[in-house]
Amino acid sequence: MKSILLKNYKYALLLFIPMVMAGCASEESESKEKTAAGGVTDKIARTKDGTDAGNLVKGSEFVNPILDQPVYQLSLPGELKPYEEVLVYPKVKGFVKKIYVDRGTKVKKGELIAVLEAPEIAQRYQSAKSDERKSYEDYLYSRQSYERLKKAAGKSGAVAAIELDKAWSKLRSDSAAYAAIRSNTRVSDQLQQYLTLRAPFDGTVMEKNVSVGALVGENSTTPLFSIVQNNRLRLTVAIPEKHSRAISKDTKVSFTVSALPGKVFYASLSRNAAFLQQKLRSVTAEFDVFNQDGQLGGGEYAQVNLDMRRPEATFWLPASAVVQAQSGVFIVKVADGLIKRIPVAIGTRKGPLMEVFGDLGVNDQVFKKGTEELKEGGKL
């Protein structure tokens, strides 16, 4: 009997030992959990004091807004246009006598491109020249008569005063008539000059819309020629409103055209309209492109990459900190232990950072991952 009790005691002891060990393990785990909870509480307290802005708070991380003025890239469509373009119309009515150029012809400034024929203009000029010569003779006679009378009037009683006045009046009248007729002759001469058409600058004839023998006139709606200057081009880019102040005289661009895949061209800002177009809500910027080798034809569309930079430093936050909800766009920050939603406007993006505009400061504690679940006025 005694041996049986001893044996049962041993079995009970073996069962009790694991239970005791399990209880100790449970107490140790509970102790660790309390220690961990105490650690998180310490982090929350430090974060509220604003002394450790990157720590986790209830599973979230705080960041400070970055005040920076970085250069960022912006890709926009552009258009290559001739530096100068002229539509050549006839100034006077006449027949096309000769044409010296055709589509694609390279021309120099002042080079003759066409000649018109209008006999009535030549006859009108000859008539004007005849009237001018007659008027000039009348003017010379009046001047000589006046000078003779004036010389004779030097002797007392030789010439009546009224006769001298009449001679002076006739001289002035003939002088005015001669000046008027001379001006009319110049008009006729200028009309003759309009019969010859010349290139206004170095360029290329892009269009030719007339043939020899055609009757053209000053009321023509179709130009005779279109001449473009393509050894220098204008790259025009419409800068959206929110980026319109990020362009400066130092802005540089690179661009490509579909006709020359893989080829990259470069240019610098030449002129900026600096005025917002109401319809497009954009500012037009122009970049001069030198095209001496003629690689670019002009009139092409281009994909333009611009190096932009704000005139003043702005705030940047991780893109995850910006909440875009139906109620608006905002970020969530902590102030005096309370959660606050700050409405912001979004600018551009540079890598993981987003440009934001709003009531922010460099010392603000902003949730790195914003969410609508963080309610306004909530306590930590």
Side-chain angles (χ1 to χ4, degrees), residues 80-343:
L80 283 166
K81 298 179 180 180
Y83 193 77
E84 298 289 353
E85 181 176 0
V86 169
L87 301 177
V88 181
Y89 289 89
K91 176 67 175 177
V92 295
K93 188 175 182 179
F95 293 95
V96 179
K97 184 178 181 180
K98 288 183 180 180
I99 297 177
Y100 298 93
V101 297
D102 208 331
R103 188 187 301 270
T105 302
K106 303 290 184 181
V107 295
K108 295 292 184 179
K109 182 178 180 180
E111 182 178 340
L112 188 63
I113 59 177
V115 174
L116 305 182
E117 188 177 31
E120 66 275 16
I121 292 181
Q123 293 298 324
R124 193 180 307 164
Y125 174 70
Q126 293 299 327
S127 176
K129 286 293 291 182
S130 298
D131 291 342
E132 181 182 349
R133 283 193 294 268
K134 179 181 181 302
S135 179
Y136 181 66
E137 294 296 333
D138 292 342
Y139 163 71
L140 286 179
Y141 177 78
S142 297
R143 189 175 68 179
Q144 291 173 358
S145 297
Y146 172 73
E147 290 176 350
R148 289 171 182 172
L149 286 175
K150 185 177 181 181
K151 186 176 181 181
K155 296 180 180 180
S156 179
V159 178
I162 192 170
E163 294 298 329
L164 186 61
D165 291 340
K166 286 181 179 180
W168 172 243
S169 178
K170 184 71 167 56
L171 173 60
R172 288 189 301 171
S173 176
D174 289 345
S175 176
Y178 171 64
I181 293 176
R182 188 179 179 187
S183 297
N184 189 43
T185 304
R186 290 177 179 176
V187 171
S188 298
D189 181 54
Q190 187 61 55
L191 289 176
Q192 280 203 129
Q193 299 299 322
Y194 290 145
L195 295 175
T196 56
L197 306 180
R198 299 182 181 275
F201 46 72
D202 295 355
T204 303
V205 178
M206 188 171 68
E207 292 184 6
K208 168 183 169 289
N209 303 314
V210 68
S211 299
V212 173
L215 177 63
V216 297
E218 64 273 16
N219 296 322
S220 299
T221 57
T222 303
L224 306 185
F225 305 96
S226 173
I227 301 177
V228 297
Q229 185 179 6
N230 59 351
N231 60 353
R232 189 178 178 188
L233 304 173
R234 297 174 188 260
L235 175 63
T236 59
V237 183
I239 310 297
E241 181 178 1
K242 69 177 183 178
H243 299 287
S244 60
R245 292 295 175 264
I247 190 169
S248 68
K249 62 180 181 180
D250 299 322
T251 300
K252 300 182 183 300
V253 300
S254 62
F255 66 93
T256 58
V257 294
S258 58
L260 296 170
K263 183 72 174 177
V264 181
F265 301 89
Y266 301 91
S268 299
L269 181 69
S270 300
R271 57 199 65 86
N272 179 12
F275 185 81
L276 195 66
Q277 297 183 16
Q278 298 300 315
K279 291 184 179 180
L280 301 178
R281 307 305 302 173
S282 63
V283 170
T284 300
E286 284 190 353
F287 303 82
D288 288 354
V289 179
F290 294 95
N291 188 39
Q292 301 295 342
D293 54 4
Q295 288 191 71
L296 297 166
E300 302 160 309
Y301 287 105
Q303 190 61 36
V304 186
N305 296 313
L306 301 96
D307 292 332
M308 310 289 282
R309 190 175 187 180
R310 300 283 186 190
E312 298 177 353
T314 54
F315 286 110
W316 297 76
L317 284 169
S320 59
V322 182
V323 182
Q324 301 186 47
Q326 292 183 351
S327 58
V329 181
F330 59 90
I331 56 96
V332 185
K333 74 174 186 179
V334 176
D336 299 326
L338 299 177
I339 294 174
K340 290 188 177 182
R341 291 184 176 184
I342 306 299

